Amino acid sequence: MRLNGKRIVEVMEEKSLTEETVCSRTGLYQKSFQWIVKEGFASEDAAERIADAVGLTVGEILLPEITGNVENVIEFVKDSERAAVTFCQGRYKSRIKKLAAERPEECQIVAENQDGSLCAHIPVAWIKINPTKQLSEEQRREIAERFKRR
C-alpha cells in the first residue's frame, strides 16, 4: 500500500507522538517504521497498525494509485523454471529493475507498458508465499523491548 508519510508525521507532531511510542503501539522496529514513512510503502497489516497508533483510519493515510492500474500478476506453468510477472506498484518495479541490472541472466524485463506497469521474466524459485507472523499485543511489546535493549 502507498502511504502518505508526511501526513503520518504531521499527525504525530500534532498529537506529540514519538517514533518510539508509535513503534511500541504497532510492534514495528524503529528502522522499519522510518523506512515506511520515508518510502511510503507498507503491507496492509502494517498500514492498519500505524493508522490505529496515530489515531487515523487507513483511508486517511493512503495515497491514491496514480497509474490507475492496480493489477500485479505472477504467472508460471507447473514444473517450469521461469515465471512471467507484471507489476504496477513502484516498489516491485524498482526491485525488478535492480535485479535485471544485477542479474541479467536470471531476470529480464520484457516490457514497460504505457499504463506504467512492468513485465519481466524471473526464476520460479524466486516466488515465495510468506505470511506475516500474527503477534499478540504482548508479543509485540516484548519484541519492541528487546529491540530497545540493543
Side-chain angles (χ1 to χ4, degrees), residues 1-17 22 25-26 33 37 44-63:
M1 302 181 99
R2 293 182 61 232
L3 301 184
N4 186 339
K6 288 180 183 178
R7 178 72 179 133
I8 295 167
V9 171
E10 286 171 3
V11 172
M12 287 173 62
E13 289 172 358
E14 288 170 12
K15 297 183 177 187
S16 300
L17 296 171
V22 175
R25 291 178 181 178
T26 61
F33 176 72
V37 170
E44 186 175 337
D45 176 58
E48 288 172 354
R49 289 187 280 149
I50 291 168
D52 188 49
V54 299
L56 297 172
T57 65
V58 174
E60 292 174 301
I61 63 171
L62 284 182
L63 289 173

Side-chain angles (χ1 to χ4, degrees), residues 80-118:
S80 65
E81 293 183 16
R82 225 163 103 166
V85 297
T86 302
F87 293 114
C88 69
Q89 287 177 268
R91 66 176 165 170
Y92 295 117
K93 292 186 330 185
S94 296
R95 182 75 173 126
I96 291 294
K97 287 177 182 179
K98 183 177 179 184
L99 288 166
E102 292 173 355
R103 300 166 81 166
E105 67 286 346
E106 295 175 279
C107 180
Q108 299 88 30
I109 295 175
V110 177
E112 292 190 52
N113 301 313
Q114 288 182 334
D115 66 1
S117 64
L118 179 139

Side-chain angles (χ1 to χ4, degrees), residues 20-31:
E20 292 80 15
T21 302
V22 175
C23 290
S24 173
R25 291 178 181 178
T26 61
L28 292 170
Y29 291 116
Q30 195 165 3
K31 272 190 162 183

